[in-house]
Amino acid sequence: MEPVAFLEILDRHGRVASRHRVDDLPLRIGRGYTNEVILDDPYVSPIHARVEDRGGLPVLMDAGSDNGIVLPGRGRVATLPLETGVRFRLGRTDLRFCTAEQRVEPALREEGGRFNPLALTRTSGRRWLVAAVAFAAIALQQGLSTYQRQTWVEPAGAAFTVAVFVAVWAGGWAVANRIVAQLFRFWTHFLWAAVLLVAFLLADVLFQYADFAIGLDAAARSLDFVTSVALGTLLLAGHLRVIGQIGRRRRLVTAVAIAVAVTFLVTAVNQADEDEFTTSLPSAGPLKPLSDKLLVRQTVDHFVEGTADLKAELDRLAE
Amino acid sequence: MRQARFWSLPGVRRALPLLALLGVPVTLPAQEGGATAAAVFERFSPRVVKIEIVETASGAKAVVGSGFFVTDRGHLVTNYHVVSKVIQDPERYEAKALEENGSTFPLTVVALDVVHDLAVARADVASPSHFALHAVTVEKGVRLYSLGHPLELGLSIVEGTYNGLLEHTRYTRIHFTAPINPGMSGGPTITADGRVVGINVATAGNEVSFLVPVARAVVLLDRALAPSYRVPSDFLTTVREQLLAHQDDYLAGLFIDTVATIEFGPYRVPTKPAPFFNCWGDATHDPADPYEVLDHQCSTDDYIFISSDMESGVVELWHRLLTSDELNRFRFYALFSDDFDQRNAWLQGSEDDVTPFRCDRSTVAGHGVTLKVQFCARRYRKLEGLYDAVIRAAAVGRPDVGLESVLTLSGVSFDNAQRLLRRYLEAIRWNR
């Protein structure tokens, strides 16, 4: 047999939970303390199985256990030659046998650069600064979009409500983080979500100003779609990066796929609403406090002449 | 089941002094003596029928109204809106008349005046007796009697008072003070000695009712009885042609030459485009709001029945000035933007009647003003060439004052909509 081999105990996701070096055979596996490999699984017998050397090949043999050796897809077996990479189950514990030839995935590279949510919480001072700036921005946006009399309380209250929603969202990610990577990282998820929310609001404001100034019209829908997908991807990819269990490529693919699916669904629902017959007018578009010198303007005549296309469209619709 | 209905017209009206109508007027004294409603009913009720519009497949009544004999050859006068389903969907509906004595006979529509909401129908029977139609003039305060089938409760007579002609309508309507109810549409309103004064057509509730002056029915009947008259094979074309001619005539004088304008804050805006517009306005400042609102509005009242879901013919213009010393420019534009977007069209209609709105929007350089303009239109599905159009304009670029303006046109040609769009935008000006 090979000089060095390992018995790996796997978790329910198939990842290695612990590893036992196999130097000498025979080797006993069970729940009792006399075994070389002890499995803390109530479905494993005190002496469950043993590995013996059969002509240079290690073979796993049932040692009169209650639940036996189970091969995925084949059921219970009495003996199992252990080739490298073979997976089997004792009781409810998954194990894998491998030798030093077993290939491993390349290491995940530590990524620096932009869009790193972990940078948000690198120091305690930065953490508070980011939170303060994000929620001040949200409070400001709320305060400037209402026209009833207000004190500082209303925008602050609105920002607090938003903070609660962000906290719930971040809490979900933190729990996932804890399950997958044994780290909670609530603050990082929270700040990342808050920063992205501010980015969403900012994109919306820019979008409205652009629409007001130059009239986005036909481009509006695709621009909206692209922005939503881009920011959605950034949000999801950031959370996944904080969790840190999958590589950059897979992370991006996952994030883009979810962002596209969600945006597409929302767009489709909105489109269905728009297609329903209604006697009310579509929105006239936002009005913004820009100097009229910044606006793309046309003459009355030019505008009126352009409406001829509407007539053709309506006549088509009426057929 | 649906009954033929009246439309309610908004606003409080003053009665006009008596006006001469077409034909040879017969003036009646204000005090009638002797005749009671009972005698009028006894004498004239056989000339009035109930009209039912029935869905042929199910036999169910779709509309119930009234009508009355006007010749000895079975000609009846009623409202267009009573028989409109037969015109719009002749495959699906048919009209029949029911006399007080229980006899029923089918009706054929022979002539229409959609603008005045009148129709002449013919039954293939000899009329038991009939009203001879002549133009009449009546003094205000004369007692009149309205006959018809209110709410399917049987032929009824309602006594009321003649109160002159409506002031702010291009097409004359009589203001009659009496509780006319749905189902009486198309029935006659007569003097005690049996002269038809008008045809029941609409109510605004609270005993404020409206009649089409008999002179319009005289014109329509004369046309239908002329030897050269041929009954159209497709009445929808007739409806369409009448509406197109009507709107050309109705809109011809609007916003041409010198446009009447008023000073509206720092702007000048168009007002009362023609005598048949009624204008009103108000300034409101709720102390709880950090802004002030000034409104000005002009509207016509010449409603034209298109279908049970839709009226047409009305032109309305509306201006609002928003000002604030208190709000910063961002918050002021949050108000301006929201308020402008809420200026929605009041135009009704079902998917059978009209297409959805389609709009163009742009920023337009006007006379000293920069206008955000949205022009929306929809087409009448069965009436080619007729559209509703709404023009929404907001004067932007100033941090503490905003002007919103909406022009609503219903039942107009696209050319007219474009022409009025141009005129209207040119009439909004900076006044300083």
Side-chain angles (χ1 to χ4, degrees):
Chain A
M1 84 160 264
E2 297 292 327
V4 181
F6 293 90
L7 254 183
E8 296 173 328
I9 297 170
L10 308 177
D11 67 12
R12 61 195 174 89
H13 301 291
R15 289 173 301 199
V16 178
S18 64
R19 214 173 252 133
H20 293 269
R21 194 181 168 105
V22 180
D23 292 316
D24 296 312
L25 295 180
L27 170 114
R28 288 161 297 177
I29 308 171
R31 192 154 39 83
Y33 289 96
T34 56
N35 298 289
E36 280 77 33
V37 176
I38 300 171
L39 299 177
D40 290 320
D41 176 349
Y43 292 84
V44 168
S45 299
I47 298 171
H48 197 105
R50 60 180 189 278
V51 183
E52 289 181 7
D53 185 348
R54 288 286 166 90
L57 187 73
V59 176
L60 180 68
M61 301 168 68
D62 195 333
S65 69
D66 292 306
N67 295 317
I69 302 164
V70 175
L71 263 186
R74 258 183 64 191
R76 197 164 166 165
V77 294
T79 62
L80 174 68
L82 293 178
E83 285 151 12
T84 187
V86 69
R87 275 180 74 157
F88 55 95
R89 173 174 281 196
L90 303 181
R92 289 191 177 178
T93 305
D94 285 320
L95 298 104
R96 181 169 62 190
F97 179 82
C98 61
T99 64
E101 286 152 16
Q102 177 72 29
R103 289 179 60 87
V104 294
E105 292 286 313
L108 295 178
R109 306 260 304 261
E110 274 304 340
E111 299 157 38
R114 282 160 290 176
F115 309 127
N116 186 359
L118 294 168
L120 295 172
T121 44
R122 209 155 274 161
T123 66
S124 167
R126 184 183 293 185
R127 173 184 307 182
W128 287 106
L129 183 69
V130 171
V133 169
F135 288 101
I138 290 165
L140 183 71
Q141 191 269 345
Q142 294 284 329
L144 291 181
S145 58
T146 59
Y147 39 84
Q148 297 308 316
R149 282 213 178 85
Q150 59 179 359
T151 59
W152 63 272
V153 176
E154 286 89 357
F160 179 75
T161 311
V162 174
V164 170
F165 279 106
V166 174
V168 170
W169 168 268
W173 281 101
V175 168
N177 207 144
R178 179 79 179 83
I179 291 168
V180 175
Q182 287 76 48
L183 285 167
F184 204 55
R185 284 186 161 159
F186 172 80
W187 266 105
T188 316
H189 287 293
F190 180 75
L191 291 177
W192 183 246
V195 166
L196 261 292
L197 181 63
V198 171
F200 268 109
L201 290 178
L202 200 64
D204 187 48
V205 169
L206 287 177
F207 186 85
Q208 290 193 26
Y209 272 89
D211 191 23
F212 177 72
I214 58 175
L216 295 173
D217 293 327
R221 200 159 291 184
S222 35
L223 199 63
D224 195 33
F225 189 88
V226 169
T227 314
S228 298
V229 168
L231 289 175
T233 302
L234 205 55
L235 174 72
L236 296 171
H239 283 302
L240 291 173
R241 180 168 177 178
V242 174
I243 294 174
Q245 295 292 301
I246 51 176
R248 182 180 188 154
R249 173 184 278 273
R250 224 179 109 197
R251 209 164 60 209
L252 272 178
V253 169
T254 311
V256 169
I258 295 174
V260 168
V262 170
T263 312
F264 181 78
L265 202 65
V266 171
T267 312
V269 168
N270 290 343
Q271 184 65 46
D273 283 349
E274 276 175 37
D275 289 347
E276 252 176 44
F277 178 80
T278 169
T279 57
S280 55
L281 302 174
S283 168
L287 301 178
K288 292 289 168 191
L290 278 185
S291 159
D292 46 9
K293 292 180 186 64
L294 294 172
L295 309 182
V296 176
R297 294 183 289 180
Q298 57 182 169
T299 61
V300 171
D301 283 343
H302 196 252
F303 175 62
V304 174
E305 280 155 25
T307 59
D309 293 343
L310 271 189
K311 180 178 188 295
E313 190 186 346
L314 288 170
D315 289 344
R316 240 188 349 265
L317 266 180
E319 294 314 318
Chain B
M1 192 209 69
R2 203 172 216 147
Q3 301 214 339
R5 50 173 224 169
F6 296 92
W7 317 297
S8 64
L9 303 180
V12 180
R13 340 233 146 223
R14 281 183 298 128
L16 267 184
L18 208 63
L19 285 178
L21 290 170
L22 300 172
V24 183
V26 182
T27 304
L28 298 158
Q31 292 302 316
E32 287 287 330
T36 62
V40 172
F41 186 82
E42 173 74 33
R43 189 168 158 208
F44 300 113
S45 62
R47 303 178 186 182
V48 181
V49 298
K50 178 174 166 187
I51 294 178
E52 287 185 358
I53 307 302
V54 181
E55 194 188 14
T56 41
S58 64
K61 281 180 279 191
V63 178
V64 176
S66 306
F68 56 99
F69 286 110
V70 289
T71 66
D72 54 4
R73 288 173 289 152
H75 289 93
L76 292 131
V77 164
T78 183
N79 288 137
Y80 166 69
H81 79 251
V82 170
V83 295
S84 76
K85 278 188 190 290
V86 179
I87 303 304
Q88 306 228 3
D89 212 342
E91 311 281 298
R92 217 178 127 193
Y93 297 99
E94 60 190 18
K96 58 181 186 177
L98 290 81
E99 279 185 292
E100 265 303 273
N101 61 21
S103 57
T104 302
F105 39 85
L107 283 180
T108 327
V109 176
V110 293
L112 288 180
D113 180 348
V114 66
V115 174
H116 295 97
D117 201 355
L118 290 174
V120 173
R122 187 165 187 190
D124 209 5
V125 293
S127 316
S129 59
H130 70 276
F131 293 108
L133 296 188
H134 301 288
V136 292
T137 53
V138 184
E139 282 175 12
K140 208 154 129 182
V142 167
R143 306 299 291 167
L144 298 177
Y145 303 87
S146 192
L147 291 157
H149 286 84
L151 308 168
E152 282 210 273
L153 298 172
L155 183 60
S156 305
I157 184 161
V158 175
E159 190 175 345
T161 320
Y162 178 87
N163 263 308
L165 302 171
L166 297 191
E167 188 175 357
H168 292 291
T169 52
R170 169 79 179 274
Y171 296 100
T172 46
R173 287 268 164 98
I174 293 167
H175 174 198
F176 177 52
T177 305
I180 296 188
N181 283 302
M184 293 181 76
S185 276
T189 293
I190 57 176
T191 58
D193 61 352
R195 290 168 200 272
V196 177
V197 174
I199 295 93
N200 307 334
V201 69
T203 180
N206 291 330
E207 303 207 356
V208 178
S209 298
F210 304 106
L211 314 174
V212 181
V214 69
R216 306 308 319 176
V218 171
V219 171
L220 183 65
L221 185 62
D222 284 352
R223 201 194 323 148
L225 296 180
S228 60
Y229 182 75
R230 295 280 168 273
V231 177
S233 56
D234 176 14
F235 269 113
L236 264 184
T237 306
T238 310
V239 169
R240 179 178 159 260
E241 285 167 358
Q242 288 182 359
L243 289 173
L244 280 170
H246 158 74
Q247 58 92 37
D248 265 338
D249 177 46
Y250 200 78
L251 302 174
L254 299 193
F255 305 124
I256 55 165
D257 303 330
T258 47
V259 177
T261 57
I262 51 160
E263 195 172 311
F264 202 60
Y267 297 96
R268 284 207 83 83
V269 291
T271 185
K272 205 169 174 74
F276 49 89
F277 276 77
N278 194 13
C279 295
W280 58 100
D282 199 10
T284 46
H285 176 53
D286 184 339
D289 291 333
Y291 54 85
E292 291 90 51
V293 179
L294 184 63
D295 285 331
H296 182 80
Q297 189 172 1
C298 298
S299 174
T300 63
D301 264 349
D302 292 305
Y303 289 79
I304 296 173
F305 182 95
I306 298 293
S307 78
S308 49
D309 293 315
M310 191 175 155
E311 288 147 10
S312 179
V314 170
V315 176
E316 184 185 275
L317 58 92
W318 176 95
H319 309 293
R320 169 168 286 184
L321 189 76
L322 291 171
T323 47
S324 176
D325 301 330
E326 206 178 318
L327 296 174
N328 65 43
R329 61 176 61 205
F330 298 101
R331 295 181 64 203
F332 181 73
Y333 268 74
L335 162 73
F336 191 14
S337 194
D338 272 13
D339 199 70
F340 183 53
D341 220 21
Q342 283 165 18
R343 273 330 108 205
N344 222 309
W346 42 262
L347 296 164
Q348 297 300 306
S350 76
E351 202 169 359
D352 289 340
D353 300 316
V354 282
T355 67
F357 280 107
R358 286 290 181 267
C359 306
D360 268 356
R361 63 187 183 121
S362 182
T363 310
V364 167
H367 293 279
V369 288
T370 298
L371 297 169
K372 272 279 164 188
V373 183
Q374 186 193 35
F375 173 77
C376 296
R378 62 180 191 179
R379 211 198 90 174
Y380 292 16
R381 284 192 193 273
K382 291 177 190 161
L383 303 169
E384 192 189 339
L386 284 163
Y387 303 80
D388 287 339
V390 184
I391 296 151
R392 294 199 284 182
V396 297
R398 302 186 185 272
D400 54 359
V401 55
L403 170 72
E404 302 169 32
S405 189
V406 183
L407 176 66
T408 308
L409 305 163
S410 55
V412 301
S413 70
F414 204 85
D415 285 351
N416 272 329
Q418 282 183 311
R419 182 175 64 81
L420 291 174
L421 165 66
R422 177 181 280 122
R423 296 288 191 164
Y424 191 72
L425 295 182
E426 282 169 352
I428 299 172
R429 292 167 187 232
W430 179 251
N431 197 33
R432 298 259 160 98

